Amino acid sequence: VMRGAGLTVGGFYAHFASKEELERETLLYGLDASMDRLLDSLADITDDRAWVRALIRRYLSQVDDPDLAGSCPLTLLLPDVTRGGQAFQAAFSERTAALLGRVAPRFPAAMGMSPREVAIAVFASCAGAVAFARTIPARHARDRVLNATETMLVAALGLENGDAG
């Protein structure tokens, strides 16, 4: 990593206490970058219902990223957060709370849940669906997981008439 950055191995420890710290910081950075890419792709959608529907569809579409370069770290590395210890979990929670704060105002309240709680449920459902679908080799079965998730979320949130973008 340091060689790729044009620095010495000794310089590594001036920036990170361990390889694990580098991994944690990379995950947090990746989470921000992933959300920025997703939100940038939705910037031209002004209707909130259409925006949420497009967010669901675009998030689920990352299952087709062959090299995972554009993938949200939530779909790849949540077990690493679990194993990362309390300090890392706290940093991850702060970061995800800030990211939720950016998107929650666009979400509807639904089923007795606040817009923020709905956003949490949508991201948890989508991240789980993508992670699960990636384990399935048959394209039609992968699509079934993604379509079922999208259909359930759209129906539960009353977004049937929103343009998927």
Side-chain angles (χ1 to χ4, degrees):
V1 170
M2 295 308 286
R3 196 172 321 134
L7 302 170
T8 66
V9 174
F12 172 88
Y13 292 103
H15 298 283
F16 304 101
S18 66
K19 290 183 221 176
E20 292 78 17
E21 183 182 344
L22 171 63
E23 179 184 23
R24 291 189 296 266
E25 290 301 316
T26 302
L27 175 79
L28 294 174
Y29 173 81
L31 189 59
D32 287 337
S34 172
M35 184 63 78
D36 288 344
R37 279 191 309 274
L38 178 62
L39 296 181
D40 287 348
S41 77
L42 303 170
D44 61 334
I45 303 172
T46 57
D47 177 74
D48 286 346
R49 293 165 45 83
W51 186 89
V52 171
R53 185 145 186 204
L55 178 139
I56 291 167
R57 168 125 340 133
R58 290 181 189 173
Y59 194 95
L60 293 173
S61 73
Q62 70 182 288
V63 77
D64 293 323
D65 184 0
D67 63 2
L68 304 178
S71 294
C72 176
L74 293 177
T75 68
L76 303 167
L77 301 170
L78 286 178
D80 292 337
V81 176
T82 303
R83 291 187 293 270
Q86 289 183 346
F88 182 44
Q89 289 172 351
F92 181 80
S93 292
E94 283 181 30
R95 190 70 51 96
T96 54
L99 296 173
L100 282 167
R102 292 173 61 190
V103 299
R106 303 287 307 257
F107 281 79
M111 301 174 293
M113 296 166 46
S114 71
R116 185 179 187 85
E117 291 167 327
V118 170
I120 291 167
V122 166
F123 277 102
S125 298
C126 288
V130 170
F132 181 53
R134 282 192 181 124
T135 69
I136 302 170
R139 177 70 193 195
H140 72 279
R142 263 194 328 268
D143 288 345
R144 187 177 305 152
V145 169
L146 301 173
N147 292 334
T149 302
E150 181 177 0
T151 299
M152 187 266 317
L153 290 171
V154 166
L157 300 177
L159 303 173
E160 292 90 349
N161 297 324
D163 180 13

